[in-house]
Amino acid sequence: MQLFEAPNILERLRHNYIPSDVEIHAIRESITIAQSRIVALQSGPPTETEGLSKYVALYSSLISPIRRLPVDILQTIFLDPIAHRRLRPGGFTRRSIIVDYRPNYLGAVCYHWRCLSLETTKLWSSLVVSPNQTDRNTVGGLRLALQRSQGAPLYLKFHPAMTGSILDRETIEEVLKHTERWAHIDLTTNAGLLRQLSPARHRLESLDTLTILHSDSYEYLQQYPSELFAEPPMLRTLRVTKLPDSPSAVPILPWSQLTQLCIHVDWAGGPPSTGAYYYMLSQATNLREYDVYLPYATEPGPHPIISHHLKEMCVTMKVDVLNHSTAPALEKLALVHCTLTSAVPSFLDRSSAQLQTLEMDGASVRAVDLVSLLRMVPTVRRLVLRKLLPNAVTNLVLQSLTIGAFPLDQVLLPMMTSFLLDGGYLFKADALMSMLESRLTPPDEFSQLAAIDIRISLMVVPAARLQNFAIAAKQAVEAFSFVSLNEARTAVAVDFRLGLLDAVFGSSRRLIP
């Protein structure tokens, strides 16, 4: 039987030609025939199978599903930070601002990808400016990347090779030509490099995000040119990984403009400066988002800090930072790897905020304290309990959320519409199912549970009950995911879960983000 032969196969591969359905069917049959012939000729000379192997490789590439992806989808994949492995985990403001894309690697895949990567200006707008003369850090590579970025906002990381190193004159001149496009700056630098950047002052009209990493940056910003970042009209986000030694060393910034502050102090720097910490918070009077990770306990601040506009707060490790803070407009509170202490309920009591989202990730809390905490936030609509200690979520907690287990005025979170539970806990499966079922068709005083994501290992729920729950959920739940894994029957349980999801939503099932 004759193999399918497409005219100009190499040219078609080069230009991302998409074969028709009839051609795809014929090519698949030909590939099967070619593979059969290869098997039959295995005992013969390698030269007899080389042509067939090349045929299989070429035509398999021609019908590859990725060739059918639209251009906009491919560009989205090109720009995905996870694909480039430069995404920092945790927190809602902890994502790295610099994603060091590798467009040269993408362009080496095929001619079509090369053309597309050259057209994707954002691929060329993320640059590491360093004395290391490698890759795009050469003057020629930098100039070419800036040309290909075609006016897109620039993501710049100023990263020294070693203490005291500076950029060569051509490199700094090339970068300074585009100061009006500097949107994100990641500053890991020293006094010499900061001095080189001084001409950028008054010209940072597009700067939106500034990150100051662990270095001697504070000490130099306190001196000349101390007002390098004092005037960017669009600056809204500040991220720091080292606190200054004192309030006087805090850099001059347009603090009242900032809407997002991320303070992530590493362990190596020793206990942070409490004075500088509270000073920065007191100056940033218009924050909307605040993400703090301090591995050491903080001393009380000199004055109470009231953040009137703060909407989202993420606290990692030490919750004592809440002791002298008040946020009356807070809508989202995330507690990550914390031990729940009196600081949290005291903060909530002072703030009297209409909290909409409560997330607890890896936090240490007892069931009785969790119940008390939930009782303080009746306005919460989205509850996330992820990887807590086993004794954090017990029958007591679930019963307190179950409509009908107690008088209606004693049931927790009457407005809850979204529930995510992940981990291994000391409760009975029946308690969980009863709570979920009671929330699917609640009385008028309660909101209907519309998004469920349960990820519990080593929990066995009778199939009949899960099926009944799926029938009820089909009409009530917008997003549904249920993982109930018995360690001895993992594969069967997963298959059943997928079947259950199909029963609820068909092929268009959706999960909680």
Side-chain angles (χ1 to χ4, degrees):
M1 186 175 182
Q2 209 55 24
L3 297 179
F4 178 87
E5 293 287 348
N8 300 321
I9 176 64
L10 294 179
E11 192 66 18
R12 292 192 176 194
L13 288 171
R14 177 180 171 84
H15 290 283
N16 207 49
Y17 170 80
I18 301 176
S20 66
D21 291 341
V22 174
E23 288 177 319
I24 290 175
H25 179 73
I27 291 170
R28 284 176 176 164
E29 286 189 344
S30 292
I31 290 174
T32 301
I33 294 170
Q35 289 172 332
S36 299
R37 292 182 183 176
I38 291 173
V39 173
L41 295 170
Q42 276 183 346
S43 57
T47 53
E48 296 183 8
T49 60
E50 285 179 359
L52 291 171
S53 297
K54 183 177 180 180
Y55 177 91
V56 170
L58 290 175
Y59 283 86
S60 294
S61 178
L62 187 62
I63 62 172
S64 173
I66 198 170
R67 297 175 65 85
R68 294 172 171 262
L69 286 178
V71 167
D72 58 333
I73 300 299
L74 264 179
Q75 288 179 314
T76 301
I77 295 172
F78 286 176
L79 296 170
D80 187 347
I82 296 178
H84 296 266
R85 299 184 180 182
R86 295 298 291 271
L87 186 65
R88 295 177 183 174
F92 50 80
T93 62
R94 223 175 301 174
R95 178 173 297 187
S96 174
I97 66 164
I98 293 293
V99 179
D100 191 15
Y101 297 117
R102 301 296 185 186
N104 293 328
Y105 297 167
L106 295 170
V109 172
C110 65
Y111 179 78
H112 174 65
W113 279 32
R114 173 173 172 76
C115 293
L116 189 57
S117 67
L118 290 174
E119 296 171 4
T120 309
T121 57
K122 192 174 180 180
L123 279 173
W124 304 94
S125 64
S126 177
L127 301 167
V128 177
V129 184
S130 169
N132 293 330
Q133 298 300 305
T134 59
D135 196 25
R136 286 185 290 157
N137 295 325
T138 63
V139 177
L142 180 64
R143 186 178 293 117
L144 181 61
L146 290 169
Q147 178 184 347
R148 290 175 175 176
S149 64
Q150 297 180 11
L154 295 178
Y155 295 65
L156 301 176
K157 181 174 183 178
F158 293 96
H159 184 69
M162 61 186 69
T163 302
S165 60
I166 60 175
L167 298 171
D168 63 85
R169 183 179 56 82
E170 286 187 272
T171 298
I172 195 64
E173 287 180 354
E174 194 65 40
V175 174
L176 288 173
K177 289 178 184 177
H178 303 270
T179 51
E180 75 285 350
R181 291 204 283 142
W182 292 11
H184 295 234
I185 294 179
D186 199 337
L187 198 62
T188 309
T189 188
N190 55 51
L193 286 173
L194 281 170
R195 184 179 291 110
Q196 289 184 301
L197 297 179
S198 60
R201 188 192 172 188
H202 307 302
R203 296 164 57 188
L204 301 175
E205 57 192 55
S206 299
L207 184 62
D208 173 80
T209 300
L210 173 63
T211 295
I212 303 178
L213 301 180
H214 192 106
S215 66
D216 63 354
S217 302
Y218 289 120
E219 288 69 15
Y220 187 69
L221 283 173
Q222 189 180 5
Q223 304 165 19
Y224 176 86
S226 61
E227 298 182 358
L228 175 59
F229 299 107
E231 302 166 343
M234 302 302 295
L235 186 63
R236 297 294 183 269
T237 300
L238 173 66
R239 298 170 179 171
V240 300
T241 61
K242 176 189 176 184
L243 288 171
D245 294 332
S246 66
S248 62
V250 173
I252 298 176
L253 297 170
W255 289 98
S256 61
Q257 291 179 191
L258 298 181
T259 59
Q260 185 182 71
L261 177 61
C262 179
I263 299 177
H264 278 224
V265 177
D266 58 34
W267 290 84
S273 166
T274 301
Y277 167 74
Y278 285 112
Y279 177 79
M280 294 170 77
L281 281 184
S282 65
Q283 294 300 299
T285 55
N286 289 303
L287 288 182
R288 267 64 172 178
E289 294 184 26
Y290 176 45
D291 186 352
V292 55
Y293 166 52
L294 296 179
Y296 304 95
T298 58
E299 299 176 359
H303 306 288
I305 298 172
I306 303 178
S307 302
H308 293 282
H309 307 287
L310 192 65
K311 299 290 186 182
E312 300 185 11
M313 177 182 286
C314 178
V315 179
T316 304
M317 288 297 290
K318 297 295 183 181
V319 295
D320 63 314
V321 297
L322 299 173
N323 277 325
H324 295 270
S325 298
T326 304
L330 193 67
E331 295 180 356
K332 175 181 177 180
L333 176 63
L335 303 174
V336 181
H337 299 298
C338 299
T339 297
L340 190 67
T341 69
S342 59
V344 178
S346 296
F347 166 75
L348 292 172
D349 185 56
R350 283 195 311 276
S351 299
S352 299
Q354 302 292 304
L355 204 65
Q356 301 291 304
T357 298
L358 176 63
E359 296 186 8
M360 301 183 71
D361 191 342
S364 176
V365 56
R366 299 181 305 167
V368 63
D369 295 326
L370 180 57
V371 170
S372 299
L373 180 64
L374 296 181
R375 200 172 299 282
M376 298 185 66
V377 288
T379 56
V380 162
R381 303 182 68 85
R382 184 170 190 262
L383 177 64
V384 177
L385 305 175
R386 184 185 291 113
K387 305 297 183 184
L388 307 184
L389 294 178
N391 63 347
V393 183
T394 62
N395 289 340
L396 171 66
V397 174
L398 295 176
Q399 288 169 1
S400 299
L401 292 167
T402 303
I403 301 173
F406 298 100
L408 293 183
D409 60 350
Q410 297 182 24
V411 179
L412 302 178
L413 306 187
M415 300 179 67
M416 183 173 67
T417 59
S418 177
F419 181 56
L420 187 151
L421 184 63
D422 182 6
Y425 301 105
L426 302 177
F427 60 75
K428 294 182 179 179
D430 186 66
L432 174 63
M433 298 305 298
S434 296
M435 187 277 287
L436 296 176
E437 290 165 351
S438 74
R439 294 278 181 160
L440 292 179
T441 54
D444 294 338
E445 303 94 312
F446 291 79
S447 297
Q448 185 183 66
L449 192 59
I452 302 172
D453 196 342
I454 308 294
R455 308 173 188 182
I456 306 295
S457 60
L458 303 178
M459 185 179 76
V460 178
V461 179
R465 182 153 194 182
L466 273 178
Q467 289 171 336
N468 291 335
F469 176 77
I471 294 172
K474 187 171 185 179
Q475 299 299 324
V477 180
E478 294 177 358
F480 175 77
S481 173
F482 200 111
V483 183
S484 176
L485 299 181
N486 182 315
E487 198 169 36
R489 298 184 298 112
T490 298
V492 175
V494 170
D495 290 341
F496 175 70
R497 167 185 173 248
L498 296 178
L500 181 60
L501 287 172
D502 282 329
V504 177
F505 296 106
S507 59
S508 61
R509 58 178 181 262
R510 294 186 293 124
L511 307 182
I512 295 177

